[in-house]
């Protein structure tokens, strides 16, 4: 594993940040997923779900966004914040701004799910729609430059990681003897914090990431030994689809993540079906990816073990959910096959 020096992501820093956010962030439940199917698939192992889908704004993103927002100097609060997002981060940034008494002007991709756009507006954000990719970020940069708004990055930076680390701290406190933790990976903001927290408390616990095959920037970066950008991304899991890894999140993943595996969109949809049928949870594709990673590419090495799975979010409208669920039912047998 890589060695990170002076990164500031220490157990003390993570614990202090979690305490400081506890007045506003929910301590989400950890529940066992104990059904005949899961027991058979995982060789009698124990599976525990960390339900960040019940966090404010519907995803773990609220933790990082509030962690960043609370570091904004008092003399800049009046200018408010901006963010660039496909959906979940915009919602969380708007929520965080509201908690801090700031205005939010967020830039969302014009391909974003209308449900997520409506959720951002419900958090009192002024929403601007732009083409995906560079145009979205360019508009947020313009707002920061011309209006003085603080840009809250969707996944990169120490304050984002410290905020997300609360997920890992809570999980390992509730289930101290975990053998492995599984986290879906987009830009790395979540897994960098979770992995750092897990390893600080229980170094023997393995941390596995799961990426879509069509958006595997972090696993490719780890293989290359440096952050890389993808020429294109193609996945239904839009919240796992940043086209690049960036230095801070990459370095933490290189240090603390044991391995990242990939799953197809069909497997992701099948994972959503598993969570609906076995856990009674209606989740977005990013959460389906984590359970698909456990049942698919990671299953053989996790048989009989005690496993934590982060259920990262559930921001999905009913119509889109049903389409993906139908696709998942068509591929469920492939995912759970021996």
């Amino acid at each position: 594993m890589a060695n990170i020096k002076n990164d500031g992501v220490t157990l003390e820093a993570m614990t202090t940040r979690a305490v400081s956010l506890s007045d506003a962030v929910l301590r989400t439940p950890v529940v066992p997923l104990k059904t005949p199917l899961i027991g058979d698939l995982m060789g009698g192992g124990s599976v525990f779900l960390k339900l960040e889908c019940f966090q404010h704004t519907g995803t773990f993103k609220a933790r990082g966004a509030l962690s960043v927002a609370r570091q904004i100097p008092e003399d800049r609060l009046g200018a408010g914040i901006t963010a660039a997002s496909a959906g979940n981060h915009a919602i969380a940034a708007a929520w965080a701004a509201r908690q801090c008494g700031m205005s939010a002007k967020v830039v969302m991709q014009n391909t974003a799910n209308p449900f997520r756009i409506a959720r951002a507006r419900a958090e009192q954000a002024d929403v601007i729609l732009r083409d995906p990719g560079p145009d979205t970020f360019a508009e947020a940069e313009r707002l920061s430059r011309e209006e003085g708004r603080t840009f809250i990055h969707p996944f990169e930076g120490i304050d984002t990681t410290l905020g997300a680390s609360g997920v890992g701290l809570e999980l390992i406190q509730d289930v101290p003897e975990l053998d492995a933790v599984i986290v879906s990976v987009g830009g790395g903001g979540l897994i960098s914090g979770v992995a750092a927290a897990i390893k600080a408390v229980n170094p023997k616990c393995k941390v596995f990431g799961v990426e879509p095959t069509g958006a595997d920037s972090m696993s490719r970066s780890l293989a290359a030994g440096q952050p890389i950008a993808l020429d294109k991304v193609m996945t239904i899991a839009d919240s796992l689809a940043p086209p690049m890894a960036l230095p801070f999140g990459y370095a933490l993943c290189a240090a603390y993540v044991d391995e990242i595996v990939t799953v197809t969109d069909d497997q992701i949809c099948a994972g959503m079906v598993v969570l609906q049928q076995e856990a009674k949870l209606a989740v977005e594709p990013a959460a389906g990816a984590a359970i698909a990673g456990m049942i698919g590419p990671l299953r053989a090495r996790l048989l009989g073990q005690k496993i934590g799975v982060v259920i990262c979010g559930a921001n999905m409208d009913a119509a889109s959910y049903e389409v993906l669920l139908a696709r998942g039912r068509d591929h469920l047998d492939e995912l759970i096959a021996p």
Side-chain angles (χ1 to χ4, degrees):
M1 292 184 177
N3 182 32
I4 304 175
K5 296 180 179 179
N6 302 320
D7 63 8
V9 185
T10 63
L11 180 57
E12 180 181 8
M14 291 185 284
T15 302
T16 299
R17 186 60 55 90
V19 171
S20 74
L21 297 177
S22 63
D23 64 315
V25 168
L26 297 176
R27 184 183 180 106
T28 54
V30 176
V31 300
L33 180 57
K34 191 174 183 179
T35 70
L37 175 64
I38 296 299
D40 288 344
L41 288 174
M42 303 313 299
S46 302
V47 178
F48 297 86
L49 306 180
K50 175 61 171 168
L51 299 179
E52 279 297 291
C53 53
F54 293 154
Q55 186 56 257
H56 292 302
T57 76
T59 73
F60 75 95
K61 288 281 190 180
R63 296 178 185 261
L66 186 63
S67 178
V68 174
R70 284 190 170 177
Q71 311 313 308
I72 298 173
E74 187 173 353
D75 61 358
R76 296 186 59 190
L77 296 179
I81 65 95
T82 186
S85 171
N88 285 336
H89 177 63
I91 300 166
W95 173 82
R98 191 160 58 84
Q99 305 311 303
C100 298
M102 292 185 288
S103 67
K105 189 176 286 188
V106 299
V107 188
M108 301 181 70
Q109 297 178 7
N110 54 22
T111 55
N113 189 295
F115 173 80
R116 292 180 177 178
I117 295 172
R119 287 291 302 271
R121 287 176 172 150
E123 294 290 352
Q124 302 178 17
D126 182 359
V127 177
I128 299 172
L129 300 179
R130 290 290 183 269
D131 289 337
D135 286 352
T136 298
F137 278 87
E139 178 63 12
E141 290 167 2
R142 184 192 69 79
L143 292 169
S144 180
R145 182 176 62 253
E146 296 182 6
E147 298 185 11
R149 294 181 177 274
T150 298
F151 177 64
I152 299 182
H153 197 280
F155 56 83
E156 179 81 345
I158 187 170
D159 292 311
T160 300
T161 291
L162 288 175
S165 70
V167 178
L169 290 175
E170 292 171 13
L171 175 56
I172 204 68
Q173 288 165 2
D174 287 351
V175 193
E177 301 301 323
L178 286 172
D179 296 304
V181 171
I182 302 172
V183 188
S184 55
V185 181
L190 175 60
I191 196 170
S192 64
V194 170
I198 295 294
K199 294 293 188 179
V201 177
N202 181 1
K204 294 181 180 179
C205 181
K206 300 287 188 182
V207 179
F208 296 103
V210 183
E211 283 187 309
T213 55
D216 57 348
S217 60
M218 188 62 75
S219 53
R220 291 194 185 201
S221 296
L222 293 174
Q226 62 182 1
I228 66 166
L230 303 176
D231 293 331
K232 64 178 181 178
V233 295
M234 186 175 296
T235 178
I236 58 167
D238 54 356
S239 55
L240 301 183
M244 83 293 277
L246 293 176
F248 189 82
Y250 161 78
L252 287 164
C253 287
Y256 300 126
V257 176
D258 292 277
E259 185 180 349
I260 296 180
V261 299
T262 60
V263 290
T264 67
D265 281 0
D266 289 340
Q267 289 174 315
I268 288 172
C269 291
M272 294 170 66
V273 173
V274 170
L275 285 169
Q276 190 278 320
Q277 293 183 347
E278 303 300 310
K280 315 309 175 190
L281 293 172
V283 300
E284 63 185 77
I291 207 77
M294 181 188 78
I295 295 172
L298 292 171
R299 188 198 315 180
R301 75 189 78 176
L302 296 178
L303 294 176
Q305 296 188 23
K306 186 175 288 189
I307 308 154
V309 183
V310 177
I311 305 301
C312 57
N315 280 336
M316 169 124 324
D317 66 282
S320 300
Y321 178 70
E322 177 52 36
V323 170
L324 297 179
L325 211 61
R327 179 174 175 179
R329 286 192 292 266
D330 289 340
H331 296 278
L332 180 60
D333 288 345
E334 300 167 21
L335 180 65
I336 65 176

